[in-house]
Amino acid sequence: MATVKPFKGIRPPKELVEKVESRPYDVLNSDEARAEAGTNEMSLYHIIKPEINFEPGTSEYDPRVYASAAEQFQKFQDKGWLVQDEKEHYYIYAQTMNGKTQYGLVVGAYVEDYMTGVIKKHELTRRDKEEDRMKHVRVNNANIEPVFFAYPDDKVLDDLVARYAATEPVYDFIAPVDGFRHQFWIISDDQDIATVTAEFDKMPSLYIADGHHRSAAAALVGAEKAKQNPNHTGKEEYNYFMAVCFPANQLTILDYNRVITDLNGLTSEEFLTKLADNFIVELKGADEYKPQELHEFSLYLDSQWYSLKAKPGTFDNSDPIGVLDVDISSRLILDEILDIKDLRSSNRIDFVGGLRGLKELKRRVDSGEMRLALALYPVSMKQIMDIADSGKIMPPKATWFEPKLRSGLIIHKLV
């Protein structure tokens, strides 16, 4: 069962939250972070993208950069831009996108649950990216940014959250970049805190939705600290890492689409003929066409949109991986026809999150940068949970969760 605990969050004063908050470290590059931070010395980018504290071109992996993150974190606390709560709390973080609100509980997730598989993952992680985040956790002795979990639907928690959501939030703002609303409440009542702990204790699993590398890094540093402490008791704060946990039924997963540089030596006609072996191919014309259901794809080629419907027998409904559209398209189009074997390493393919829409796919093909685009129907949260429960791993670039968590609303110290 899942173990969680409240913690003494480190947060900006209400009047400073919009100065401090930022996008997550991994959704923008160094130049974008430098531009967004501008002259704002309170921007969290000085901690999570600390290469901006140096001359342009400085590597984000430079040892000076990690040291700068710790210096900035201390500076933010010294100046009162970040202040630690005196009591352990759970917190509620709500995000509103396109009129739909999802409510997450901010908790201390248990390192041992990650190690034993109670916290389930559906993506592979890369050791170099894990190590980068581990260095960041070590040098700050804190989880500066939360990870994004899903939990099985729970009416008791729904009712508790709804009661707090009816009150005035501590933070309430529209983020400038994405235009989404972000709200934040503190769960301060002792009975409510006990209820949250007890409800999570009934859950057999939690699921990583977004932030596999941050989850791995946080858990590995916690385990590392336990080994290094001769007086380890299991109650230390480093045994937990910060997660925002949302009910699975509230989450929005967008399509994660593909753009490809070439047709592997084929003409357009030859390519379409080969597609017809495994797909029902239908010309849709010049107007943008979005897949309407599972196992249907949209192809943009030569200024025309096509519907591609996978034929019966090309996928296995009993296989939680084989039934996925990302797997079908990878096997039958990218690998079999275009000879793109490894989505992680090939320089012939790129990926476009669904928030950018079909217009971005069209733009990249029409510009001549790419030869064709492939739009997919979004993966469902049930599919993700089924795969995680089966112990299998999803193909790369399968899920795009939106909205992303804003960073800087809450931080968890490991001491």
Side-chain angles (χ1 to χ4, degrees):
M1 298 297 171
T3 299
V4 300
K5 74 177 287 290
F7 63 96
K8 297 178 181 178
I10 298 178
R11 307 181 292 107
K14 185 172 186 174
E15 67 275 11
L16 298 183
V17 66
E18 292 184 72
K19 287 277 192 184
V20 174
E21 65 91 20
S22 75
R23 292 197 278 167
Y25 87 101
D26 56 349
V27 303
L28 74 173
N29 62 34
S30 302
D31 291 338
E32 289 168 331
R34 193 183 301 276
E36 282 188 29
T39 59
N40 175 18
E41 60 178 338
M42 296 184 202
S43 170
L44 197 77
Y45 291 130
H46 292 290
I47 302 173
I48 62 170
K49 299 288 286 182
E51 67 271 19
I52 72 169
N53 304 326
F54 299 89
E55 59 279 3
T58 301
S59 169
E60 57 194 291
Y61 307 114
D62 188 312
R64 296 175 302 154
V65 167
Y66 294 104
S68 177
E71 290 164 9
Q72 288 288 325
F73 183 35
Q74 189 59 53
K75 172 184 169 182
F76 275 50
Q77 294 170 84
D78 292 344
K79 288 187 171 286
W81 303 341
L82 291 171
V83 180
Q84 187 164 29
D85 289 334
E86 292 183 1
K87 180 189 168 188
E88 291 188 338
H89 302 292
Y90 290 117
Y91 306 85
I92 298 169
Y93 173 22
Q95 304 169 294
T96 303
M97 177 180 78
N98 301 332
K100 177 187 172 187
T101 303
Q102 57 191 36
Y103 294 89
L105 285 158
V106 188
V107 307
Y110 192 32
V111 166
E112 188 65 16
D113 282 353
Y114 181 89
M115 298 303 186
T116 59
V118 172
I119 296 171
K120 294 182 180 290
K121 46 187 176 283
H122 65 264
E123 285 183 7
L124 294 172
T125 54
R126 282 175 36 190
R127 185 59 194 177
D128 58 336
K129 293 182 78 173
E130 282 181 16
E131 185 57 39
D132 164 54
R133 287 301 91 189
M134 288 174 73
K135 287 177 181 175
H136 199 267
V137 175
R138 285 190 199 108
V139 76
N140 289 295
N141 211 14
N143 311 127
I144 303 293
E145 297 182 275
V147 295
F148 185 162
F149 284 1
Y151 64 84
D153 304 336
D154 185 294
K155 187 176 187 309
V156 173
L157 292 180
D158 287 349
D159 291 346
L160 185 152
V161 167
R163 182 157 40 83
Y164 277 86
T167 65
E168 184 179 350
V170 177
Y171 305 141
D172 189 350
F173 63 92
I174 305 293
V177 175
D178 57 28
F180 303 146
R181 186 181 187 185
H182 301 266
Q183 296 167 288
F184 194 88
W185 293 263
I186 298 170
I187 298 179
S188 53
D189 179 80
D190 288 343
Q191 185 55 52
D192 289 338
I193 290 171
T195 297
V196 172
T197 305
E199 287 304 304
F200 274 91
D201 190 48
K202 298 174 186 176
M203 297 177 190
S205 302
L206 299 176
Y207 299 85
I208 301 173
D210 208 0
H212 280 75
H213 289 95
R214 269 170 284 170
S215 297
L220 289 168
V221 170
E224 184 179 86
K225 284 179 173 292
K227 277 188 181 176
Q228 293 169 351
N229 181 3
N231 301 311
H232 173 75
T233 65
K235 298 185 182 300
E236 297 85 358
E237 202 62 32
Y238 59 67
N239 292 289
Y240 297 85
F241 61 99
M242 181 171 60
V244 185
C245 304
F246 292 88
N249 66 0
Q250 292 185 10
L251 295 180
T252 300
I253 308 175
L254 300 183
D255 40 310
Y256 206 175
N257 302 316
R258 284 88 168 103
V259 285
I260 298 107
T261 59
D262 63 85
L263 292 178
N264 192 31
L266 301 171
T267 65
S268 297
E269 292 73 21
E270 289 168 337
F271 177 62
L272 291 168
T273 298
K274 285 183 176 292
L275 283 173
D277 290 343
N278 291 308
F279 298 88
I280 299 167
V281 181
E282 183 182 347
L283 176 64
K284 291 293 184 180
D287 293 339
E288 291 174 4
Y289 181 77
K290 197 175 183 70
Q292 304 299 301
E293 58 187 358
L294 283 171
H295 312 326
E296 182 186 17
F297 307 84
S298 293
L299 169 70
Y300 184 64
L301 175 70
D302 298 336
S303 302
Q304 299 291 316
W305 289 91
Y306 296 82
S307 164
L308 311 178
K309 290 187 179 178
K311 293 179 178 178
T314 58
F315 53 88
D316 180 358
N317 279 320
S318 66
D319 179 354
I321 298 293
V323 75
L324 292 175
D325 287 351
V326 286
D327 185 74
I328 294 168
S329 59
S330 293
R331 284 188 292 108
L332 303 180
I333 303 175
L334 301 179
D335 184 350
E336 190 174 302
I337 301 176
L338 297 176
D339 197 35
I340 296 174
K341 307 289 187 188
D342 186 347
L343 273 62
R344 294 177 184 275
S345 62
S346 175
N347 59 8
R348 296 171 54 214
I349 188 168
D350 199 7
F351 305 89
V352 180
L355 197 63
R356 294 177 178 266
L358 298 183
K359 284 184 172 54
E360 177 67 6
L361 302 183
K362 184 176 185 298
R363 183 194 69 78
R364 293 187 69 174
V365 174
D366 288 348
S367 71
E369 175 198 2
M370 296 292 178
R371 184 70 174 85
L372 72 151
L374 196 63
L376 280 64
Y377 193 79
V379 173
S380 71
M381 195 64 221
K382 182 181 184 305
Q383 286 179 308
I384 290 175
M385 292 166 77
D386 286 347
I387 288 164
D389 285 340
S390 74
K392 295 187 176 182
I393 296 297
M394 292 186 78
K397 308 296 186 183
T399 58
W400 184 275
F401 286 88
E402 204 64 65
K404 302 294 186 188
L405 301 176
R406 300 300 285 193
S407 296
L409 307 189
I410 183 84
I411 289 169
H412 171 242
K413 266 191 174 177
L414 303 188
V415 289

